[in-house]
Amino acid sequence: DSGVTQTPKHLITATGQRVTLRCSPRSGDLSVYWYQQSLDQGLQFLIQYYNGEERAKGNILERFSAQQFPDLHSELNLSSLELGDSALYFCASSSSYNEQFFGPGTRLTVL
Amino acid sequence: AQTVTQSQPEMSVQEAETVTLSCTYDTSENNYYLFWYKQPPSRQMILVIRQEAYKQQNATENRFSVNFQKAAKSFSLKISDSQLGDTAMYFCAFMKSAYSGAGSYQLTFGKGTKLSVIP
């Protein structure tokens, strides 16, 4: 158990819908990273937050957004969902910039 | 930008034997970390081993060891005495060091190698 929690574990929704994925980092970790794992794109970095502020953006679509709240949990919002958004979404947290701890992931299926 | 290449999509090994997974990377950074992550069928990402680029000594964690060749930008993983529980996808990953200056420290992953341990 990494100490990072993600909810829900599974999410099934329809095209055009909007969903929110939630992540709670390890106690004391200020950085949260979001990654997407899909069959065609592999594991890709989406976005990073540090202590409530956006720190870096990767290959994140404009339909996707994220935020980190004062209690350090983070949410990834995916809107206008398409079939190609079906993937495993991981959250990772870190405090030391030399290791990241991954949550169990949220499997999103868009029908 | 960094790139990580794993040239072996799939590999298999007999139980108790030794197997080596290959990884090459490209970067202009001088300070960085390299990782091997294991992803079993449960899909959890598990850190197997970490190497700091400034350390010449290869990292070792029990049955797992790496061969880090900085000049060649090569970072292979050796699994000794393979066990059935080693069956998983293995991802090589790069992260720049905080000593490289400001910026983000996200992980850049290779495409992965699917390892099957055969009884």
Side-chain angles (χ1 to χ4, degrees), chain A residues 90-109:
Chain A
F90 284 107
C91 164
S93 75
S94 73
S95 61
S96 59
Y97 290 127
N98 61 8
E99 189 169 348
Q100 294 181 20
F101 297 88
F102 281 77
T106 293
R107 178 169 292 284
L108 173 67
T109 302

Side-chain angles (χ1 to χ4, degrees), chain B residues 2-63:
Chain B
Q2 286 70 232
T3 59
V4 177
T5 302
Q6 293 179 249
S7 58
Q8 305 151 315
E10 291 192 44
M11 294 188 74
S12 61
V13 62
Q14 291 289 136
E15 197 175 3
E17 296 295 308
T18 295
V19 64
T20 298
L21 280 57
S22 301
C23 172
T24 58
Y25 60 95
D26 191 24
T27 183
S28 58
E29 303 284 349
N30 195 43
N31 298 306
Y32 50 88
Y33 297 94
L34 294 164
F35 306 86
W36 280 97
Y37 279 88
K38 169 185 177 181
Q39 188 178 41
S42 67
R43 297 295 190 176
Q44 177 73 47
M45 293 292 287
I46 302 166
L47 178 64
V48 175
I49 201 165
R50 180 182 71 194
Q51 176 76 42
E52 297 169 66
Y54 71 88
K55 288 188 176 178
Q56 292 187 338
Q57 186 173 6
N58 289 323
T60 298
E61 288 286 343
N62 301 313
R63 298 182 296 107

Side-chain angles (χ1 to χ4, degrees), chain A residues 52-84:
Chain A
E53 294 188 4
E54 182 184 302
R55 179 60 65 91
K57 271 186 172 180
N59 297 322
I60 187 167
L61 300 172
E62 285 192 13
R63 300 183 285 109
F64 296 1
S65 65
Q67 52 184 332
Q68 186 178 27
F69 295 86
D71 67 351
L72 300 178
H73 91 270
S74 178
E75 293 181 357
L76 180 66
N77 301 295
L78 315 177
S79 62
S80 302
L81 285 167
E82 302 175 359
L83 296 177

Side-chain angles (χ1 to χ4, degrees), chain A residues 31-65:
Chain A
S31 277
V32 169
Y33 301 79
W34 285 97
Y35 295 88
Q36 178 194 58
Q37 185 178 27
S38 62
L39 281 174
D40 52 346
Q41 297 292 328
L43 267 159
Q44 286 195 107
F45 166 70
L46 295 178
I47 196 163
Q48 179 205 355
Y49 277 81
Y50 178 83
N51 201 22
E53 294 188 4
E54 182 184 302
R55 179 60 65 91
K57 271 186 172 180
N59 297 322
I60 187 167
L61 300 172
E62 285 192 13
R63 300 183 285 109
F64 296 1
S65 65

